[in-house]
């Protein structure tokens, strides 16, 4: 699917492409789609550049320290928890049901994967950390970092004209 979409964008003359991945498990599929498109198209000859990024790398350490009182648990356990819920509240609060926020944490979180997944490393709702404490204000802090990071990255990589800066 990614290859097909990229090929159509290239066919239609798009030369600045950004893929934003917000789900770790999709990373390899996105890279594969990009590589398959590259096998069929000479991006340099076309003058095309493709960026693959996420949003998490742009959230500043100072912001994480402020949101977690200096005790940020890491991005993996934060999946579907305070950061992502707050970001969604900052984008579109009407789609977040605050009554259903997970408030439990997995009893343990190893730094490796186990197959099959043992019951003590996940919660019944699938979240690994609580989302309680999420807010629009926290989401706006997170999004400000992300959008600032995107602006710099896109400007640096695509060399946008001063009128767009």
């Amino acid at each position: 699917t990614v290859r097909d979409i990229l090929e159509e964008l290239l066919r239609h003359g798009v030369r600045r492409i950004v893929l934003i991945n917000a789900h770790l498990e999709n990373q390899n599929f996105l890279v594969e789609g990009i590589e398959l498109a590259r096998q069929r198209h000479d991006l340099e000859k076309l003058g095309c550049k493709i960026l693959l990024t996420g949003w998490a790398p742009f959230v500043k350490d100072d912001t994480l320290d402020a949101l977690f009182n200096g005790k940020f648990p890491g991005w993996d356990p934060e999946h579907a928890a305070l950061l992502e819920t707050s970001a969604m509240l900052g984008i579109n609060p009407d789609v977040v049901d605050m009554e259903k926020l997970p408030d439990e944490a997995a009893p343990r979180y190893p730094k490796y994967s186990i197959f099959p997944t043992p019951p003590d490393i996940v919660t019944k709702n699938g979240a690994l950390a609580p989302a309680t404490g999420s807010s629009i204000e926290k989401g706006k802090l997170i999004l400000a970092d992300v959008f600032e990071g995107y602006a710099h990255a896109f400007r640096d990589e695509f060399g946008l004209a001063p009128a767009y800066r």
Side-chain angles (χ1 to χ4, degrees):
T1 301
V2 173
R3 182 205 64 210
D4 291 347
I5 292 169
L6 290 174
E7 287 186 349
E8 286 304 305
L9 290 171
L10 294 170
R11 188 171 70 84
H12 287 281
V14 177
R15 297 299 180 252
R16 296 177 183 147
I17 301 171
V18 178
L19 300 177
I20 298 174
N21 179 27
H23 195 63
L24 176 66
E25 288 80 0
N26 292 336
Q27 185 75 13
N28 292 333
F29 300 109
L30 294 171
V31 170
E32 180 182 33
I34 293 167
E35 290 300 328
L36 289 171
R38 286 185 61 218
Q39 288 174 9
R40 293 181 165 180
H41 304 274
D42 185 341
L43 299 184
E44 285 187 43
K45 185 176 178 182
L46 291 172
C48 176
K49 187 180 279 189
I50 300 171
L51 303 186
L52 172 59
T53 187
W55 62 276
F58 294 105
V59 180
K60 297 175 183 171
D61 290 341
D62 291 346
T63 301
L64 295 173
D65 287 344
L67 295 176
F68 291 93
N69 298 317
K71 296 178 181 166
F72 177 56
W75 284 100
D76 288 349
E78 253 306 294
H79 173 67
L82 184 132
L83 290 170
E84 291 180 355
T85 303
S86 292
M88 194 66 228
L89 285 166
I91 294 168
N92 189 355
D94 294 335
V95 301
V96 179
D97 186 345
M98 297 297 284
E99 301 291 321
K100 294 182 179 177
L101 293 185
D103 62 355
E104 60 184 325
R108 69 181 177 115
Y109 188 79
K111 297 190 182 290
Y112 46 85
S113 298
I114 306 167
F115 301 94
T117 304
D120 69 333
I121 66 171
V122 294
T123 61
K124 66 179 178 240
N125 62 33
L128 302 175
T132 52
S134 299
S135 70
I136 292 172
E137 295 75 27
K138 290 175 183 175
K140 288 183 180 187
L141 287 173
I142 295 163
L143 295 170
D145 286 356
V146 172
F147 295 145
E148 178 185 339
Y150 283 166
H152 287 288
F154 301 163
R155 196 169 31 239
D156 291 347
E157 296 306 323
F158 295 134
L160 297 179
Y164 294 104
R165 290 186 182 181

